[in-house]
Amino acid sequence: MIKCVILDDELLAISYLKLLCEQVDDVEVVKAFNDPKIFLNEINTLDCNLCILDIEMPGMTGLQVAELISGTKKIIFTTAYKEYAAEAFDLNVVDYVRKPIKKERLIQAFEKAKEQIEVPQKKAFIEWNTNIGKTIILTEQIAYIKTSEIDSRDKDITLNDGTTIVLKNLNFKNLLEMLPARDFAQVNKKEIIALSSIKVFSTNEIITTIPTENEHFLKLQIGDAYKSSLLELFIK
């Protein structure tokens, strides 16, 4: 059962969203707010497991609100604009829904929320043989993965602090099954990126937050076979 709380500064938007939610099975709207400060004062006292937050609000944005509650509540963002998509997924939200909201699209977002609420998440670490022996790697510390240039059976993992670890004899299919699907995406046949490491992306290229020589940042080319699935993570 999804018990959700709505936050939107527009009363008409709240009424419309509540109406849609009432048409979805196993979804209950516990309460709705049009003021972020009142929402934050009460959210920890409410019996809910999902928050639907509008991004554009005067005084305090939905992104700022999410930063304060993302550790305790699942979040779906709503907005009339698409330019916040990358920022939204930096917060590991369930979904990002464009306005005007359609019932079918909202149901998709609720289905994603149910998977995260009802099903235990994948392990937050990888345990595998590496160049330094059997190693446990926290997935939240992984920034980038690529096929080793020395042996294509191996995979080079770059951590957030720049450390590189080599996973021995592991293919991408099995590796992706170990990683939280909402946090990582395959970019082409030889590279996987953590969504938190994406700074800018287009239909053909990703600019990451990973520094390289000459004060530049690592750029990745998006393979044709991976464009649709990658873009769907950000633009709905």
Side-chain angles (χ1 to χ4, degrees):
M1 180 73 174
I2 290 179
K3 295 184 177 182
C4 68
V5 172
I6 297 170
L7 173 62
D8 195 306
D9 64 303
E10 297 182 2
L11 295 178
L12 284 177
I14 290 175
S15 297
Y16 176 67
L17 187 51
K18 286 178 67 176
L19 181 64
L20 290 182
C21 290
E22 289 169 358
Q23 299 174 32
V24 181
D25 293 337
D26 297 323
V27 174
E28 174 189 348
V29 178
V30 175
K31 196 167 183 177
F33 297 85
N34 67 342
D35 186 320
K37 292 182 179 179
I38 297 176
F39 168 90
L40 289 172
N41 285 336
E42 296 188 24
I43 189 61
N44 290 329
T45 67
L46 299 175
D47 179 18
C48 68
N49 47 29
L50 176 71
C51 296
I52 304 178
L53 308 179
D54 182 36
I55 289 183
E56 303 86 11
M57 294 183 291
M60 191 175 197
T61 69
L63 292 169
Q64 292 172 315
V65 172
E67 288 178 353
L68 298 175
I69 66 168
S70 61
T72 59
K73 307 292 183 183
K74 301 300 180 184
I75 295 169
I76 292 174
F77 277 127
T78 64
T79 179
Y81 306 96
K82 66 181 180 181
E83 60 265 28
Y84 295 105
E87 294 177 72
F89 275 86
D90 278 345
L91 295 167
N92 291 325
V93 300
V94 172
D95 210 342
Y96 174 96
V97 182
R98 295 277 302 280
K99 294 181 178 180
I101 300 171
K102 297 180 180 179
K103 178 182 175 181
E104 294 76 14
R105 180 65 187 86
L106 186 62
I107 289 174
Q108 290 179 7
F110 282 140
E111 288 301 321
K112 290 183 181 181
K114 286 180 182 178
E115 290 177 1
Q116 296 188 26
I117 291 169
E118 297 173 0
V119 179
Q121 295 296 302
K122 290 186 178 181
K123 292 188 297 185
F125 60 87
I126 292 174
E127 185 176 4
W128 200 259
N129 291 325
T130 73
N131 57 314
I132 54 175
K134 194 161 188 177
T135 305
I136 293 175
I137 305 170
L138 297 179
T139 57
E140 65 181 13
Q141 295 299 316
I142 298 174
Y144 167 62
I145 304 170
K146 69 174 183 178
T147 298
S148 173
E149 296 179 2
I150 298 174
D151 187 335
S152 62
R153 294 173 298 179
D154 299 341
K155 305 296 175 284
D156 294 340
I157 286 185
T158 300
L159 303 182
N160 293 329
D161 64 0
T163 302
T164 298
I165 297 175
V166 182
L167 295 178
K168 307 298 290 184
N169 195 23
L170 179 62
N171 61 47
F172 268 4
K173 180 179 182 297
N174 291 337
L175 177 54
L176 285 168
E177 289 176 353
M178 297 178 181
L179 296 169
R182 64 188 181 130
D183 297 335
F184 294 87
Q186 186 165 356
V187 178
N188 51 53
K189 291 182 178 179
K190 295 185 176 182
E191 295 173 300
I192 294 172
I193 189 70
L195 300 189
S196 60
S197 297
I198 295 177
K199 179 186 289 188
V200 178
F201 74 92
S202 66
T203 54
N204 298 310
E205 183 181 69
I206 289 173
I207 300 176
T208 74
T209 59
I210 302 168
T212 61
E213 297 179 0
N214 302 320
E215 299 183 351
H216 293 153
F217 293 94
L218 178 67
K219 295 182 179 180
L220 309 177
Q221 294 301 309
I222 303 175
D224 289 340
Y226 305 92
K227 288 181 180 179
S228 296
S229 58
L230 182 60
L231 292 175
E232 282 178 3
L233 292 172
F234 296 97
I235 302 175
K236 301 290 185 178

